[in-house]
Amino acid sequence: MQVLIADDHEIIRRGVRSILESRNDIRICGEAANGREAVNKASELHPDLIILDHAMPVLSGLGAASEIRQILPKVPILMLSMHDGKMLLDALRLLGVQGYVPKAECADKLLEAVDAISRGESFFDIEPSSGIGLSE
C-alpha cells in the first residue's frame, strides 16, 4: 500500500512514517507540509491512502480533502487532528473521508485505522466531545 502523509509538523510526519513503516506492506510514497502541497502530490503520485492533518496552512485538511475527492474520488482519506467533536466528524463524513484518528491516539490507533480502511471499512472509533475544539 502506497501512502501519502500530509501534516505541517515534520515531527508528526516522522512519527506517522515510523509507525506505518513498521509494516512491510506499507510504503510512504510522499509527504506534504500543507494542504495545497497534499493536493498536488496526491494528483501526481496517486497513492492508495492519503493521511491528512485537519489543521494545515495554505489549505486546511478539509479543503484538501474536498479537492482530492474531486481529483481522486476513490482514494481513501484518513484525517488526523488534535480536535474532535460532532461538527468535525460530520464534516469529515460529508466530504467522504473514510476515517479519523485523534493525534493523541495515533500511536495506538493508526495501524488499526489503516487496516480498516484497506478493507473498505470506515474508522471513526472515538467518543466525540460536544464540539469543543472546532472553530465555527
Side-chain angles (χ1 to χ4, degrees):
M1 170 186 297
Q2 306 266 356
V3 178
L4 171 64
I5 302 168
D7 194 293
D8 56 320
H9 294 98
E10 183 180 355
I11 192 74
I12 299 294
R13 290 194 313 269
R14 283 185 184 187
V16 169
R17 174 185 280 274
S18 178
I19 291 167
L20 295 174
E21 288 183 336
S22 70
R23 296 258 302 266
N24 293 333
D25 60 333
I26 299 173
R27 187 177 88 71
I28 307 307
C29 64
E31 293 186 14
N34 64 61
R36 174 62 50 217
E37 190 178 347
V39 172
N40 293 340
K41 287 200 174 191
S43 178
E44 172 189 334
L45 299 171
H46 295 268
D48 300 310
L49 172 66
I50 300 167
I51 298 177
L52 295 176
D53 178 21
H54 166 249
M56 288 188 288
V58 183
L59 182 64
S60 72
L62 294 176
S66 178
E67 290 190 24
I68 290 167
R69 235 345 111 244
Q70 294 173 20
I71 301 165
L72 301 168
K74 295 185 190 241
V75 174
I77 297 172
L78 174 63
M79 190 74 66
L80 304 180
S81 182
M82 294 185 314
H83 308 289
D84 64 5
K86 184 177 179 347
M87 290 173 54
L88 173 59
L89 297 178
D90 288 348
L92 295 177
R93 287 184 176 108
L94 281 173
L95 283 172
V97 170
Q98 282 73 22
Y100 166 84
V101 174
K103 284 187 177 180
E105 297 178 26
C106 206
D108 296 328
K109 301 277 186 174
L110 183 61
L111 290 174
E112 185 180 347
V114 168
D115 287 341
I117 290 169
S118 71
R119 292 189 304 265
E121 302 168 8
S122 62
F123 189 90
F124 291 91
D125 186 31
I126 63 159
E127 289 296 322
S129 70
S130 61
I132 297 170
L134 180 64
S135 301
E136 294 187 44

